[in-house]
């Protein structure tokens, strides 16, 4: 998943970025409201974590402008303004959830998981391709009761391919969903992840077909 974190406090931002990346997400970080507003016009993020007290443009304005443009990205608001009226204004303006500072990291992580889960097509957050089960919520893949040993990046590739199983996903789409501004992942790296993933998926009877010039397609192997 690709997330946008909008937070001007470097200490808080650092902790949250670490936590989100450990969960396997690509994270873009905006340190003021103007940069956040700009970023939101550039990419349809899977989730936006938005501080309200920001330089240049207030978080509430970032939220209102994004919703006015028709963005439906889930927004989790983080703020010290924890009075009831602020919560109501935030939710009315189109926020999906609200977390008052200071908060505990495990609670933040649980809220993020809950918001991302709502994005899932299936209620369980699981996608089955033949005998392979991809647990989007638990960020793991299973075959015959065994968890496959996948790196966070490999899971990222599998996740996007599984969400679009049977359809072609381009290398550029894989790259875009996995990389944030600071990452130095190139097209070649995508090929490496796909190559590794293909080997690991082989026992599960699921293949990644290369569609020359277009991209990759996840499919059940014939006979599997
Ligand atoms: Ca702030």
């Amino acid at each position: 998943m690709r997330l946008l974190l909008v937070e001007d406090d470097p200490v808080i931002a650092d902790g949250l970025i670490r936590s989100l990346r450990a969960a396997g997400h690509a994270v873009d970080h905006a340190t003021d409201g103007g940069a956040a507003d700009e970023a939101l016009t550039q990419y349809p993020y899977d989730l936006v974590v938005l501080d309200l007290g920001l330089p240049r443009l207030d978080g509430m304005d970032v939220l209102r402008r994004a919703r006015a443009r028709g963005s439906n990205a889930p927004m989790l608001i983080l703020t010290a303004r924890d009075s009831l009226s602020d919560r109501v204004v935030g939710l009315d303006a189109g926020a999906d959830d609200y977390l008052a500072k200071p908060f505990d990291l495990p609670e933040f992580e649980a809220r993020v998981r809950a918001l991302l889960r709502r994005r899932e097509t299936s209620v369980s957050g699981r996608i089955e391709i033949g005998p392979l089960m991809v647990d989007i919520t638990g960020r793991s893949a299973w075959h015959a009761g065994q968890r496959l040993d996948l790196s966070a990046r490999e899971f990222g590739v599998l996740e996007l391919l599984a969400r679009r199983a049977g359809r072609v996903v381009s290398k550029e789409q894989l790259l875009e969903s996995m990389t944030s501004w600071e990452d130095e992942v190139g097209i070649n790296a995508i090929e490496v992840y796909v190559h590794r993933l293909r080997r690991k998926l082989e026992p599960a009877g699921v293949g990644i077909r290369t569609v020359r010039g277009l991209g990759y397609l996840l499919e059940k192997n014939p006979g599997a």
Side-chain angles (χ1 to χ4, degrees):
M1 299 274 189
R2 185 161 166 189
L3 279 56
L4 176 66
L5 172 69
V6 190
E7 171 59 77
D8 59 325
D9 181 318
V11 177
I12 295 175
D14 193 55
L16 298 183
I17 289 171
R18 232 176 268 236
S19 149
L20 294 169
R21 290 203 173 135
H25 303 302
V27 185
D28 291 336
H29 178 207
T31 55
D32 66 67
D37 189 52
E38 170 71 21
L40 283 164
T41 64
Q42 304 290 321
Y43 191 83
Y45 288 96
D46 296 297
L47 175 68
V48 181
V49 178
L50 180 65
D51 180 34
L52 287 190
L54 293 167
R56 284 178 66 200
L57 187 64
D58 187 82
M60 205 67 91
D61 290 325
V62 173
L63 171 61
R64 287 199 187 98
R65 288 167 76 142
R67 292 298 186 237
R69 282 192 301 263
S71 161
N72 62 359
M75 301 252 187
L76 170 60
I77 287 189
L78 300 180
T79 182
R81 303 174 198 173
D82 60 350
S83 77
L84 181 64
S85 64
D86 282 332
R87 284 179 201 234
V88 171
V89 169
L91 293 170
D92 278 349
D96 296 271
D97 199 2
Y98 212 108
L99 197 53
K101 292 177 183 174
F103 52 83
D104 293 327
L105 205 51
E107 182 175 9
F108 167 76
E109 290 167 347
R111 301 281 184 112
V112 166
R113 283 196 299 272
L115 286 169
L116 291 176
R117 204 154 48 222
R118 280 194 222 158
R119 299 274 279 175
E120 303 305 329
T121 43
S122 99
V123 179
S124 66
R126 293 173 172 194
I127 302 171
E128 284 177 29
I129 299 122
L132 177 74
M133 196 272 279
V134 183
D135 178 1
I136 302 289
T137 314
R139 313 210 52 78
S140 58
W142 300 74
H143 171 239
Q146 298 254 305
R147 185 183 172 137
L148 303 188
D149 180 25
L150 303 179
S151 71
R153 293 275 194 206
E154 287 162 3
F155 186 83
V157 170
L158 176 61
E159 178 181 0
L160 192 58
L161 289 173
R163 283 172 186 279
R164 303 183 188 181
R167 283 178 285 163
V168 177
V169 180
S170 71
K171 285 180 195 171
E172 288 74 18
Q173 285 170 324
L174 284 168
L175 194 63
E176 221 173 43
S177 79
M178 293 178 57
T179 60
S180 61
W181 300 330
E182 300 103 69
D183 290 344
E184 300 258 333
V185 181
I187 287 281
N188 292 343
I190 295 291
E191 289 169 9
V192 173
Y193 297 132
V194 167
H195 176 73
R196 286 194 204 139
L197 195 55
R198 195 176 264 149
R199 280 206 328 251
K200 293 180 179 181
L201 294 179
E202 214 164 78
V206 171
I208 301 174
R209 178 146 61 93
T210 303
V211 182
R212 206 162 289 284
L214 287 178
Y216 302 104
L217 185 142
L218 190 70
E219 61 184 4
K220 234 166 77 172
N221 283 336

